[in-house]
Amino acid sequence: MTSTLPEGAAPPAPGPASGEESPVLVRYGTLLDETAAYLAKLGLPESRARLAAEALCYGDLTGMDSHGVFNLDRLYRPLLESGRADPAAEPLVLRDLGPCVALDHRRALGLWAASEAMDLAADRAARCGIGLVSVRGATHFGCAGVHARRAAERGMIGLVASNCGGQRIARPPLGAAALLGTNPLSVAAPALPGRPFVLDMSTTVVPTGRIRTAARDGREAPEGWLTDDAGHPVRDAAAYDRGEAWLGWLGGTPATGAFKGFGLGLAVELLAAVLPGAATGPVPAALEGDGRPGGRDDDIGFLVLAIAPDTLRDGFDEDAREMFGTILDCPPQPGGEPVRYPGHPEAERAETRRTSGVPLPTALHAELTALGLRLPALEAAGATGAAGAGGAAGAVGEAAR
């Protein structure tokens, strides 16, 4: 079955199992510099190669490793070399109404183009209080959170919603044909100093990589992740790639609220793709054949929104700090981990990895080295902190050199 990655991309490589080599620690600044240089060799202008590298390495810095440099050779290089992404593309303004702008990205690499779209939205919000940019003709842009947080860095609220172009992965609850992708959504906002709120999520219950990881480790899939053709729960995680099980929606099963996740996925499809006129998953052709996943994630659509709260009222920052501070003060369950909000643990992880190095699996390090990236290993002294547990994409500060 297909994933949310472009056609032809392999599923994420298995992580290190017991007895395998420890990850190779590399300096974040070096990883960023070398990634930017490689993207420039693929034809991106230098400034945009740097912006794209920042978006890509964000995944490795915050723990969203499946969206990081692992995808440099398996995803973005093929996109650029095949022409499905145009390294020299210049977004075209279709309509400019001041606070609202419609763009055709003309197959620009999403890693930099989505960040520039958010910057445009924030510029308009600084003038008008709100900035909305609606995009068609886009390509894969990595973590949605890295683009949404650009608004938070400017004291604004940022929102990013994207469909998967014409790619179809998940079925409607009680339906028998795949119609939608995982349709990610991210919201970011100022919170506590150095710890912005960054929600970055798919509208399906989990991404496909988590299912494959469970299958690799021999673990059962929790109820609600997968269902069979009759809608019954499937606990065998390996059944997904055998084509015997379907990815579920947020909310689990129809009985436990899957229509909420599906409805949210449809809302993203409407706002991200139907609004700008991008490709959509639910088209008549999706009802032909056996109903299994298909289509291509070309002509992706997305929406970015920036809101400048200070134009509406005074005191937003203070109230946001109080709200998120109260969340951190919430007592944990007995023996449990401290309560934190989305973006907080990712910011902590980023700080650790900027200091101790970014852990790369040995196979990935060798792959990147074979591409020509010069990534000398750091001493192992900071290995424990640098290899902290992975998580959803969240906040991150400036790169250390």
Side-chain angles (χ1 to χ4, degrees), residues 170-172 175-180 246 286-287 290-292:
R171 304 184 303 186
L179 295 181
L180 290 177
W246 293 84
L287 305 179
D290 62 6
R292 297 202 172 276

Side-chain angles (χ1 to χ4, degrees), residues 69-380:
V69 293
F70 174 71
N71 290 319
L72 182 61
D73 188 47
R74 63 188 289 269
L75 195 166
Y76 295 108
R77 181 187 60 78
L79 274 179
L80 290 164
E81 292 185 343
S82 69
R84 292 179 63 197
D86 180 0
E90 283 291 340
L92 174 68
V93 176
L94 301 173
R95 190 165 297 180
D96 189 339
L97 303 177
C100 301
V101 181
L103 296 178
D104 184 342
H105 268 190
R106 306 166 80 185
R107 295 180 289 112
L109 186 65
L111 289 170
W112 67 260
S115 282
E116 284 199 2
M118 178 54 80
D119 291 345
L120 174 60
D123 288 344
R124 298 306 173 92
R127 287 164 37 192
C128 307
I130 190 168
L132 185 154
V133 178
S134 182
V135 177
R136 71 189 189 200
T139 65
H140 200 280
F141 62 41
C143 299
V146 70
H147 310 296
R149 64 180 286 276
R150 296 180 74 86
E153 290 176 340
R154 296 175 62 170
M156 300 180 186
I157 300 169
L159 180 147
V160 176
S162 174
N163 85 330
C164 293
Q167 191 176 38
R168 301 179 293 274
I169 296 170
R171 304 184 303 186
L174 307 179
L179 295 181
L180 290 177
T182 54
N183 287 17
L185 173 68
S186 179
V187 179
L192 298 180
R195 301 288 188 272
F197 170 77
V198 185
L199 173 69
D200 191 343
M201 52 175 270
S202 64
T203 49
T204 50
V205 65
V206 288
T208 56
R210 291 191 63 185
I211 297 170
R212 292 183 172 118
T213 299
R216 178 201 66 195
D217 296 341
R219 292 181 285 109
E220 287 190 336
E223 186 170 338
W225 280 22
L226 298 171
T227 59
D228 62 17
D229 286 332
H232 301 132
V234 173
R235 303 302 297 272
D236 178 8
Y240 177 77
D241 275 328
R242 294 199 303 266
E244 300 170 0
W246 293 84
L247 180 62
W249 294 96
L250 287 175
T253 67
T256 59
F259 284 98
K260 296 178 182 178
F262 173 61
L264 190 57
L266 276 177
V268 169
E269 194 83 9
L270 178 69
L271 294 171
V274 179
L275 179 62
T280 60
V283 294
L287 305 179
E288 301 172 357
D290 62 6
R292 297 202 172 276
R296 287 165 60 114
D297 61 343
D298 293 326
D299 190 15
I300 290 171
F302 65 85
L303 176 143
V304 297
L305 175 69
I307 302 171
D310 289 343
T311 63
L312 297 176
R313 70 174 183 91
D314 297 329
F316 170 84
D317 288 345
E318 293 79 4
D319 289 348
R321 284 196 295 270
E322 179 178 326
M323 184 185 81
F324 287 107
T326 301
I327 292 171
L328 295 185
D329 290 339
C330 177
Q333 294 181 348
E337 295 291 327
V339 176
R340 293 180 291 181
Y341 54 82
H344 193 285
E346 291 77 22
E348 290 182 329
R349 186 174 300 114
E351 287 184 356
T352 298
R353 291 186 174 187
R354 284 196 300 271
T355 301
S356 303
V358 176
L360 299 176
T362 54
L364 175 58
H365 183 266
E367 176 184 299
L368 296 174
T369 300
L371 291 177
L373 278 70
R374 296 167 294 179
L375 301 171
L378 294 173
E379 296 295 329

